[in-house]
Amino acid sequence: MPLQPARLEFMPDGTPFSPAFGDVYHSTHGGPAQARHVFLGGNDLPQRWRDRERFVILETGFGLGLNFLATWQAWRADARRCRRLHFISIEKHPLTAPDLAAAQQAWPEFADLAAILRQHWPPLTPGIHRLHLDDHRVILTLVFADAASQLREVAAAVDAFYLDGFAPASNPEMWSLPVCRALARLAAPGATLATWSLARPVHDALAAVEFDLERRPGFAPRREMLVGHFRSRRPDRRPPPGERRATVIGAGIAGSTVAYRLAAGGWQVTVLERAEAPGQGASGNLAGMLRPLPSPDDNRISRLTRAGYLATRALLQSLPAARWSPCGLLHLARDAGHEAQQRRAVEMLGLPPEVVQFVASAGAGALLERPVNSGGWWFPGGGWVQPPSLCRAALAAFPERITLRCAVAVDALKWAKTGWQALAADGNILAEAPLIVMASGVAAAHFSQFAWLRQIAARGQVSHLPAAATPPLEIVVCGHGYAVPAVDGHCLIGATLSLDDDEAGERLADHRANLAQLELTLPGFAAAIDPRQLSGRVGFRPLSPDRLPIVGPVPAVSATGVNSRLHSLPRLPGLWCAQGYGARGITWSALMADLLVSRIEGDPLPLERDLVAALDPGRFLVRCARGQVRT
């Protein structure tokens, strides 16, 4: 179901109004004051977040962003504020950035914060969007979905709830018993809630899910409001780690982005890399593509590549030293059937045109400035990224927290009383920390803790065409093969894919194969190129058996038995992995790093629970126990 943006209108007195719900976005008596009185005051904030490591708020109905802006401002003004503030907000019909700007003009006291929010405002696509604000200390997680159906997919331990949907009479599903049950599932010990609504069904639904409720003085014109306290005594299911020291094995795009995200969260990180510099293995190509992969049914790959694409773009925009170009990417159809599928996907998904468009052959030819035989997907914000530069920029972002050691070969991992030890072949300890992340790509299988993981090493060869020998190319194009505009004097094309193939040297046959694929995509583009004169690069990409990343805590295989439930798999304490990115390392990296570190920290997750489970390393053992696959 395509996401439907909100349509903003204004009443004669200037109050923002939703024609879809027939209700106002906030009180005519002063929105900021109402937000502070009802939601901050009703949850006893800022007092409750003071001196805490983390505080998590969940809001039903982002609307104009008023409650978030008031909370962010209060957090900034509090000298004893929590170290990190997480704010999760669920919105079925989000506003466009121009409508946000128009509505937020009414609150000059929030002008600076509102401008920052709009600068980070994501394209209006379904799913979860993570915004890192205020030097990574304020994390806004926007869930563009229907709360009635998608709250169950949110993974978080919430300290305070802002119940601020449109009135129960016009939006009853938002206040229903199933929604209240979903809120209770998310409640942390001592959680509170506040709402302006006194409707009897709302009161009864909240009381039925273990909230003790009371009325307090309301904000004009409402005489009273409702506040609640979660009475369950269940233990904290997501405690933050006690010590923030970690070792990351591998300085490719997976390890570098994990180290970046750990350091952004205040961790001291040691990165061990076998090569002489970061980004020399599967992440060592001159350039690679950045784009999502839509599908008519919006399957897991479609959802994950879209979320990953947007997360990587956001990361790149925060790392000026990373080399990349959002020049646009055109994915040409392979044949008439594929072209029809591409057109259908765009029509069914209804994504914003800044994310993806379908262009017919004439439009595709205009973008390429040369005739082509088919149309395809046009990603205006797609383009190319130079992976080694991203690795270097990520590792240099927090020099006081990230220690990079190159030309260091880790031979084994060993658990000791003081944590995980990374050992050299002679037994010397290279690094030691309570937590270790394996992000070494195809080398992971060398370690005993990962011997069970049937990761595939896929050999790929790219070819470098001298830019002076080809027509100008201003955008990235792919189809049967792909071509990237000139980077450092060469147009990169590729790439071959072969399994059970460990030859590290370049092959003339593979250069010829890359040229043949390019000829099918862009006839005549490389007609003057002699494959015998080409150079290129060979890399070994770590593919998972199901082509999805492998991200999360590592199972204790010897203790798993026939366990067929993911949540109850025993895990090796402090051992995590970010593996299996395959050919989509650029697209996956930022999102997977955020997911991994959020799980380590016990923070709200940047993905839906079903996608988190689909990426968990234990999935292969669970499937084996259920008799679905062999490991």
Side-chain angles (χ1 to χ4, degrees):
M1 189 73 179
L3 188 68
Q4 296 295 324
R7 183 162 59 91
L8 180 65
E9 295 183 2
F10 292 90
M11 299 176 69
D13 64 355
T15 301
F17 176 80
S18 168
F21 289 95
D23 199 2
V24 298
Y25 277 96
H26 61 72
S27 167
T28 57
H29 295 267
Q34 180 189 38
R36 295 186 184 104
H37 181 89
V38 176
F39 297 108
L40 278 91
N43 282 287
D44 300 322
L45 301 176
Q47 293 85 353
R48 288 182 54 233
W49 69 40
R50 285 179 176 161
D51 303 321
R52 291 183 55 169
E53 172 65 29
R54 173 184 68 211
F55 196 85
V56 180
I57 297 169
L58 186 143
E59 172 188 51
T60 54
F62 188 78
L64 311 181
L66 174 59
N67 295 331
F68 170 68
L69 293 172
T71 303
W72 188 5
Q73 185 185 69
W75 178 86
R76 273 191 162 189
D78 187 3
R80 293 175 55 190
R81 58 184 174 255
C82 54
R83 193 175 73 85
R84 285 174 299 142
L85 176 67
H86 279 271
F87 195 103
I88 308 165
S89 191
I90 303 176
E91 179 56 65
K92 184 178 181 180
H93 300 297
L95 288 168
T96 63
D99 279 349
L100 272 182
Q104 291 171 350
Q105 286 180 351
W107 314 315
E109 63 197 284
F110 298 138
D112 292 344
L113 297 181
I116 296 171
L117 172 63
R118 294 194 300 272
Q119 180 184 350
H120 289 81
W121 193 246
L124 300 189
T125 62
I128 297 179
H129 302 264
R130 177 67 61 83
L131 281 61
H132 295 273
L133 308 168
D134 235 324
D135 296 326
H136 308 276
R137 297 174 300 166
V138 175
I139 300 98
L140 173 60
T141 302
L142 295 166
V143 185
F144 290 162
D146 183 0
S149 62
Q150 288 301 304
L151 255 175
R152 67 175 68 93
E153 292 296 331
V154 173
V158 178
D159 300 298
F161 294 93
Y162 294 1
L163 306 187
D164 193 28
F166 289 113
S170 59
N171 190 20
E173 289 187 351
M174 178 71 85
W175 307 88
S176 65
L177 181 58
V179 167
C180 292
R181 285 179 179 146
L183 296 176
R185 177 186 65 81
L186 296 170
T192 61
L193 65 83
T195 178
W196 48 264
S197 177
L198 295 172
R200 188 69 194 183
V202 174
H203 180 285
D204 291 348
L206 291 170
V209 296
E210 296 193 83
F211 280 98
D212 293 323
L213 304 169
E214 64 172 301
R215 296 189 179 202
R216 289 187 188 175
F219 186 84
R222 299 177 184 274
R223 296 180 58 187
E224 293 182 309
M225 56 183 257
L226 195 65
V227 300
H229 188 278
F230 192 57
R231 62 176 175 265
S232 173
R233 298 297 181 186
R234 67 190 180 204
D236 189 351
R237 296 165 296 174
R238 295 176 178 267
E243 187 177 2
R244 286 184 164 80
R245 286 191 303 111
T247 302
V248 175
I249 309 297
I253 201 165
S256 298
T257 50
V258 165
Y260 170 88
R261 189 55 64 200
L262 283 167
W267 288 69
Q268 293 294 325
V269 187
T270 298
V271 181
L272 304 179
E273 169 56 45
R274 179 181 296 266
E276 298 291 333
Q280 299 301 298
S283 302
N285 282 349
L286 181 65
M289 295 186 293
L290 174 61
R291 53 84 185 261
L293 188 64
S295 67
D297 61 351
D298 207 21
N299 57 33
R300 284 176 176 169
I301 289 288
S302 179
R303 293 161 61 197
L304 281 166
T305 55
R306 182 171 67 241
Y309 160 75
L310 295 173
T312 297
R313 276 184 52 91
L315 175 61
L316 289 165
Q317 288 165 351
S318 71
L319 295 173
R323 294 186 64 189
W324 71 295
S325 173
C327 56
L329 187 150
L330 179 64
H331 186 157
L332 292 170
R334 296 183 300 272
D335 50 43
H338 186 211
E339 185 173 6
Q341 183 184 35
Q342 287 182 314
R343 185 191 297 271
R344 186 167 67 254
V346 171
E347 292 172 349
M348 294 185 69
L349 293 175
L351 298 175
E354 65 265 31
V355 175
V356 62
Q357 306 167 27
F358 177 82
V359 293
S361 58
L367 289 167
L368 287 167
E369 299 182 352
R370 59 186 298 117
V372 290
N373 297 324
S374 65
W377 286 320
W378 169 237
F379 303 103
W384 60 264
V385 179
Q386 187 180 70
S389 75
L390 174 54
C391 297
R392 293 191 297 268
L395 293 170
F398 298 96
E400 73 285 4
R401 296 182 194 150
I402 298 177
T403 300
L404 171 64
R405 296 180 58 195
C406 293
V408 173
V410 180
D411 185 69
L413 304 179
K414 178 183 177 181
W415 174 255
K417 291 182 179 179
T418 52
W420 283 97
Q421 297 174 342
L423 305 177
D426 60 6
N428 285 333
I429 299 174
L430 299 170
E432 189 170 18
L435 184 139
I436 197 162
V437 179
M438 177 59 65
S440 63
V442 297
H446 168 77
F447 297 89
S448 61
Q449 294 84 358
F450 295 89
W452 59 273
L453 184 58
R454 298 297 184 259
Q455 190 175 240
I456 305 163
R459 182 188 183 277
Q461 180 173 316
V462 296
S463 303
H464 299 164
L465 310 187
T470 65
L473 183 65
E474 302 298 330
I475 63 174
V476 179
V477 59
C478 63
H480 294 273
Y482 67 84
V484 175
V487 180
D488 297 337
H490 289 89
C491 173
L492 181 141
I493 68 168
T496 61
L497 175 65
S498 55
L499 308 179
D500 298 321
D501 185 345
D502 59 2
E503 184 176 343
E506 295 176 40
R507 292 194 291 238
L508 176 60
D510 285 6
H511 286 311
R512 285 176 171 151
N514 285 334
L515 288 171
Q517 293 286 77
L518 181 63
E519 178 66 19
L520 292 173
T521 304
L522 291 178
F525 181 81
I529 299 292
D530 181 351
R532 293 170 296 181
Q533 303 301 315
L534 289 181
S535 63
R537 187 176 186 278
V538 173
F540 293 87
R541 296 169 289 196
L543 289 178
S544 69
D546 58 8
R547 301 302 192 265
L548 293 177
I550 306 167
V551 178
V554 176
V557 177
S558 61
T560 57
V562 293
N563 197 320
S564 62
R565 293 184 178 275
L566 192 60
H567 68 85
S568 58
L569 275 180
R571 310 283 177 153
L572 292 170
L575 183 60
W576 299 74
C577 72
Q579 292 284 140
Y581 291 13
R584 296 193 176 100
I586 292 172
T587 302
W588 297 135
S589 57
L591 179 64
M592 294 302 108
D594 198 354
L595 171 63
L596 184 76
V597 176
S598 295
R599 293 193 70 177
I600 290 169
E601 290 273 16
D603 285 343
L605 301 187
L607 280 173
E608 295 87 344
R609 293 170 70 202
D610 69 314
L611 294 179
V612 174
L615 303 173
D616 192 290
R619 67 189 187 265
F620 304 110
L621 301 177
V622 167
R623 293 171 191 169
C624 184
R626 294 173 180 171
Q628 295 178 2
V629 296
R630 295 171 56 191
T631 61

